[in-house]
């Protein structure tokens, strides 16, 4: 039985004051939702303040990225040790990082390793580009991303995977629930081949890409989908709360 996760990726949105306002608006209601793990990932500079505001609640904190070295002369970077003091989760390999910051499979691999070493739970994002999808290469691309990202990594720690087709991120064009479920089933089979059946059954795999309060149910109710990574809708308290409540209802059944 895998507990669903609803994770909000605020991306490069919210000033410190706005982040405080946003979390204050949803904290109590989010805290009260049971049977689902709730994660919010604000920008780095708001992590400490948001962390204080959710202290003692059932809401978890995550970062959106990390650097793979623990300390040193890496101006502007944030280390796993710094994040482990503040939060529990970290998003790794988001397609925006791969696209705009040239993150390769090798870098993603180092970041996952670094996160696991300090006890952070990585949310590994994988997903195909629009052209790859149109060319029928989705499975090949995902298998390659998984094998590069997870090369020589012992999955004793907690790994969460988010399947995020790039054509669905921030576009308003989500995959269908059936389509996402089939692809996530493929990802789970792949994890089974890379590791074993037991690990594959344990790993939680989320769908991400234009999920909102209206379409969330279509994804969350699928047997292979263990929740969602939410971008745009996570900045709207009523949307994020509604998605989380829907996940809670399904998980209760
Ligand atoms: C994301 O960035 O991880 C994401 C899924 O964004 P959106 O929900 O806005 O498509």
């Amino acid at each position: 039985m895998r507990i669903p996760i609803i994770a909000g990726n605020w991306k490069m949105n919210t000033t410190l004051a706005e982040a405080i306002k946003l979390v204050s608006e949803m904290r109590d209601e989010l805290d009260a939702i049971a049977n689902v793990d709730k994660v919010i990932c604000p920008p780095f500079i708001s992590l400490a303040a948001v962390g204080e505001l959710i202290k003692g609640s059932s809401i978890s904190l995550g970062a959106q990225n990390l650097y793979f070295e623990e300390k040193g002369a890496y101006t502007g970077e944030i280390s796993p040790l710094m994040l482990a003091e503040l939060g529990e989760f970290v998003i790794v390999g988001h397609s925006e990082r791969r696209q705009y910051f040239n993150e390769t499979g090798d870098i993603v691999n180092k970041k996952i390793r670094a996160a696991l070493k300090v006890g952070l739970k990585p949310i590994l994002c994988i997903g195909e580009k629009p052209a790859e999808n149109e060319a029928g290469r989705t499975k090949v691309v995902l298998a390659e991303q998984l094998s590069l990202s997870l090369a020589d990594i012992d999955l004793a720690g907690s790994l969460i995977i988010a399947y995020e087709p790039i054509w669905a991120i921030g576009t308003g064009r989500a995959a269908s629930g059936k389509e996402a479920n089939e692809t996530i089933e493929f990802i789970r089979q792949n994890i089974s081949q890379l590791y074993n059946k037991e690990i594959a059954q344990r790993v939680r795999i989320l769908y991400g890409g234009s999920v909102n309060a209206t379409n969330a149910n279509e994804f969350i109710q699928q047997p292979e989908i263990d929740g969602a990574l939410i971008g745009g809708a996570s900045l709207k308290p009523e949307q994020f709360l509604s998605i989380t409540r829907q996940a809670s209802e399904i998980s209760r059944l």
Side-chain angles (χ1 to χ4, degrees):
M1 182 61 192
R2 299 180 294 263
I3 298 170
I5 305 184
I6 299 296
N9 171 15
W10 294 4
K11 309 196 188 192
M12 198 178 72
N13 294 297
T14 68
T15 61
L16 175 59
E18 287 164 349
I20 289 171
K21 183 168 177 279
L22 180 56
V23 73
S24 304
E25 276 168 14
M26 53 185 174
R27 177 191 45 201
D28 293 349
E29 284 179 80
L30 202 54
D31 182 31
I33 305 173
N35 308 315
V36 49
D37 287 342
K38 300 145 292 192
V39 184
I40 48 177
C41 305
F44 284 135
I45 65 126
S46 300
L47 283 172
V50 170
E52 274 304 309
L53 286 166
I54 58 174
K55 209 182 226 166
S57 79
S58 58
I59 307 163
S60 303
L61 193 63
Q64 299 173 17
N65 181 32
L66 81 167
Y67 191 54
F68 49 77
E69 295 291 349
E70 290 191 350
K71 61 179 175 179
Y74 303 101
T75 303
E77 290 297 328
I78 303 289
S79 97
L81 283 176
M82 297 170 189
L83 296 176
E85 247 184 359
L86 295 169
E88 197 181 332
F89 293 85
V90 60
I91 297 172
V92 181
H94 192 280
S95 61
E96 287 152 15
R97 298 223 47 97
R98 294 179 194 257
Q99 186 181 350
Y100 305 131
F101 303 97
N102 302 320
E103 276 193 14
T104 59
D106 179 48
I107 294 173
V108 171
N109 178 270
K110 286 185 175 140
K111 289 186 171 188
I112 292 180
R113 220 177 266 274
L116 289 171
K117 188 173 167 212
V118 299
L120 284 167
K121 296 173 181 160
I123 303 177
L124 165 65
C125 299
I126 56 172
E128 79 284 6
K129 295 181 183 137
E132 291 165 339
N133 180 277
E134 280 152 29
R137 296 194 64 245
T138 299
K139 289 183 177 170
V140 176
V141 171
L142 295 178
E144 188 180 279
Q145 286 178 347
L146 283 171
S147 72
L148 289 175
S149 309
L150 298 174
D152 299 319
I153 288 181
D154 170 11
L155 270 200
S158 231
L159 176 81
I160 292 116
I161 297 175
Y163 167 55
E164 301 207 306
I166 297 173
W167 46 271
I169 297 182
T171 58
R173 190 191 145 210
S176 75
K178 190 169 168 282
E179 210 178 347
N181 189 65
E182 275 169 19
T183 309
I184 288 178
E185 188 172 19
F186 167 79
I187 294 171
R188 205 177 294 288
Q189 281 161 4
N190 218 271
I191 295 292
S192 182
Q193 278 159 17
L194 290 174
Y195 294 92
N196 58 48
K197 229 176 164 171
E198 196 233 307
I199 289 182
Q201 281 311 312
R202 197 181 67 207
V203 168
R204 289 182 285 182
I205 312 181
L206 319 181
Y207 168 76
S210 295
V211 175
N212 56 41
T214 310
N215 65 13
N217 210 35
E218 183 182 339
F219 299 103
I220 305 162
Q221 68 178 346
Q222 302 288 340
E224 293 295 334
I225 304 184
D226 305 315
L229 180 57
I230 323 274
S234 71
L235 296 164
K236 298 177 187 138
E238 75 289 356
Q239 288 267 328
F240 195 64
L241 286 166
S242 165
I243 296 167
T244 311
R245 283 198 189 100
Q246 293 178 50
S248 168
E249 282 305 312
I250 288 166
S251 160
R252 217 192 307 268
L253 298 175

